[in-house]
Amino acid sequence: MEHVDVLVVGAGLSGIGAAYRLQTQSPQHSYAVLEAREDLGGTWDLFRYPGVRSDSDMFTLGFPFHPWTAAKAIADGPSILEYLHETATTYGIDKHIRFGRRVVRASWSSSEALWTVETSQETYTCSFLYVCSGYYNYDSGYVVDFPGLAEFQGRVVHPQQWPEDLDYSGQRVVVIGSGATAVTLVPAMAPQAAHVTMLQRTPSYVASRPAKDAFSDRLRAMLPENLAHRLIRGKNVAFSSAVYSAFRRWPTHAAWLLNSTVAKQLPDSIPADPHFTPRYKPWDQRLCLVPDADLFESLRDGSASVVTDEIETFTPTGIKLRSGEHLPADLVVTATGLQMVALGKIELTVDGERVDPHDTFVYKGMMLSGVPNLAWCIGYTNNSWTLRSDLTSQYVCRLLNHLDRTGTRICVPEIDPAEYDAPPRPVVDLSSGYIRRAASILPRQGSYGPWRLRQNYPRDLVTLRYGSLDDGTMHFRSAAPQPVG
C-alpha cells in the first residue's frame, strides 16, 4: 500500500494547478494525482462535440503561473487540452499522475490521522485528501425521457457522449437546449448540416464578445510576457467582477441591456421576445457566451433557426411541438444539461461513520464541516473556474505548512447547528435546472461567515491568501490516542 502526504483526485485544470502549488509552495510534502480517465485534461478531454470551447477568457481560465500565449482569448477545446498537456510537462506534473485510477472510497482514521483511499486498481494512504474532480458526472449527462423517443427513426446523441464517427453533413439537425452547449453546437454544426434548429423550452441570456482581445494583443506586443499576462489577467478580473456586481445590483437595467444588444444582432424574422428574453434575472443562471456573434451570424444567414416551444412527442421523422408545429429531423442532439455529483461520487467515512455530503456545510468554499484533512476544489459560477481553484490550492498549501509548523496533524472545520441558525442554501446558488436537480446531494452553504461561498474573487484573494488560519472555526489537533482494551 503506497503512502503519500497529499493525494489529489483529478488531473484536469484544478488538479494540475493543485499539483503545481503543492510542489512550489509546500515542496516538503509528497503527492500523487489519481485520474480515472486514461489522459489528463478533465472536462477538456471529455467533451469532444463540435465547437467545444471555453466560456471564460483564457487569461483568467489559464494558470497564473503559465501564461496563455495563443491568439484567441476565447479558446477551442483542443487548444485548451494542448495547453494543459504543455503545462503538466513543463513543470513535471505529468510524472505524478496515475491514470485509470478511479477513486471509489475514502476512509478517515482519527487515531492514525490518515485517509485510506481505494481506487479501481489499488489502495493508497495519505495525510490529506484533495478532491479536484469538480462537480460534474463524467459518466453521463442529464437524459430526458421524451415521449415517443423510441419511435424516432433518426439518430439521437448527447453532447457528453459525442460519437467519433458521427457525420451530419447535409442532415436536418435539431439541438434541444438553450444553454452554453446548445449555443456552441448550433453555429459549429450549421456550415455542414442542411439546417440546424435550436429548440428551447425557455431562453437564456446570451452575450456576445470578440474571440480575440485586441487590447490584450497590443499589451502583449509591448511588454514582457509575464508582466503583460498579469496586467491582462487583472484587467479581465476587474471587468468581469464589476459587470457581475452591476448586473446583480441593477437587474432590470442589465436585462434591458442584454436584450436590446441581442435584438440588434437578430434578423427581422426572429424576434428577441420570446426567443432571447428570459423571465429570470441576469445571473440567476450563467450567461451564455457567444464569441464573435457566431450564433447570430448563423441565424442571419438562414443556416440555423430558433424555436421556443415544448415537445409534445417524437415522431418517426422528427418532433411534434405543443403548438402543433412539426420539426423534421435526421439527427437530434439532446443538449439538455449535465448531472452534478458531490466529490466525484467517492464514498466517505470518518471513523467508521458514513458521511453524506448533503449533511455538511462548506467551509470557505472548500472543506466540509466535520470532515478532517479533506478539501474539495470548486470554482466560481460568475467568473473563471481557475480563479477560485487556484486560491483554494494555495490555501491548502497554507494549511499543510501550518500543520508542520505547529506539530499538529489534523485540521477540521466544525459548525454548531445550535449557534448557526441561518437557513442553509445550495452550495451552487443558481436557479439552473442541473443545479436544482442536485440540491439534495450537494453540500450546503450558510448565509454568513466562513460558511458562505462568495462569488467575489477580490475578497477571496485577501481572505484565502492572507487571512488567519486559526479563526476559531477551524480546529487543529494531533492524532487521537488509540482506545484502550
Side-chain angles (χ1 to χ4, degrees), residues 265-314:
Q265 301 178 81
L266 291 171
D268 294 338
S269 59
I270 301 178
D273 191 2
H275 301 303
F276 291 94
T277 307
R279 304 309 177 199
Y280 58 86
K281 298 176 183 177
W283 278 115
D284 282 353
Q285 300 180 21
R286 280 184 67 96
L287 268 65
C288 295
L289 179 65
V290 177
D292 293 331
D294 57 1
L295 173 65
F296 304 115
E297 183 179 340
S298 297
L299 296 175
R300 288 194 300 269
D301 67 23
S303 61
S305 57
V306 58
V307 173
T308 304
D309 207 332
E310 294 188 28
I311 296 174
E312 180 174 307
T313 185
F314 273 69

Side-chain angles (χ1 to χ4, degrees), residues 48-53 162 168 173 175 180-193 196 290-291 294-296 298 303-304:
R48 301 297 180 96
Y49 58 82
V52 60
R53 64 198 179 199
W162 195 267
Y168 52 87
V173 180
V175 177
T181 303
V183 301
T184 298
L185 279 165
V186 171
M189 299 181 74
Q192 287 79 41
V196 180
V290 177
D294 57 1
L295 173 65
F296 304 115
S298 297
S303 61

Side-chain angles (χ1 to χ4, degrees), residues 282-405:
W283 278 115
D284 282 353
Q285 300 180 21
R286 280 184 67 96
L287 268 65
C288 295
L289 179 65
V290 177
D292 293 331
D294 57 1
L295 173 65
F296 304 115
E297 183 179 340
S298 297
L299 296 175
R300 288 194 300 269
D301 67 23
S303 61
S305 57
V306 58
V307 173
T308 304
D309 207 332
E310 294 188 28
I311 296 174
E312 180 174 307
T313 185
F314 273 69
T315 70
T317 58
I319 301 173
K320 182 182 178 182
L321 305 177
R322 295 286 185 190
S323 63
E325 181 182 358
H326 184 268
L327 295 180
D330 306 301
L331 169 67
V332 172
V333 182
T334 55
T336 47
L338 303 166
Q339 292 193 88
M340 300 183 75
V341 296
L343 291 97
K345 298 190 289 187
I346 300 171
E347 295 179 19
L348 291 181
T349 60
V350 172
D351 296 325
E353 296 292 327
R354 179 180 176 274
V355 176
D356 184 344
H358 184 63
D359 294 336
T360 67
F361 282 79
V362 174
Y363 172 82
K364 293 189 175 179
M366 69 184 79
M367 299 185 75
L368 305 184
S369 57
V371 181
N373 291 33
L374 180 144
W376 180 35
C377 188
I378 58 175
Y380 291 115
T381 58
N382 70 331
N383 222 320
S384 291
W385 177 277
T386 314
L387 290 174
R388 186 168 228 292
S389 72
D390 188 58
L391 289 179
T392 299
S393 294
Q394 294 190 62
Y395 185 87
V396 166
C397 291
R398 291 183 64 204
L399 272 181
L400 295 170
N401 296 339
H402 180 83
L403 291 171
D404 288 347
R405 286 195 305 270

Side-chain angles (χ1 to χ4, degrees), residues 112-189:
E112 299 177 321
L114 283 178
W115 282 102
T116 299
V117 179
E118 301 175 44
T119 76
S120 52
Q121 302 289 336
E122 64 267 305
T123 300
Y124 298 80
T125 60
C126 65
S127 303
F128 197 96
L129 183 60
Y130 190 13
V131 182
C132 293
S133 55
Y135 46 49
Y136 292 135
N137 186 347
Y138 277 34
D139 295 327
S140 65
Y142 179 63
V143 178
V144 179
D145 185 17
F146 291 109
L149 185 59
E151 303 299 320
F152 180 55
Q153 295 177 358
R155 192 167 184 178
V156 179
V157 300
H158 191 285
Q160 191 165 322
Q161 285 87 31
W162 195 267
E164 292 184 9
D165 63 345
L166 181 58
D167 181 8
Y168 52 87
S169 301
Q171 294 192 0
R172 297 164 300 177
V173 180
V174 174
V175 177
I176 302 175
S178 61
T181 303
V183 301
T184 298
L185 279 165
V186 171
M189 299 181 74

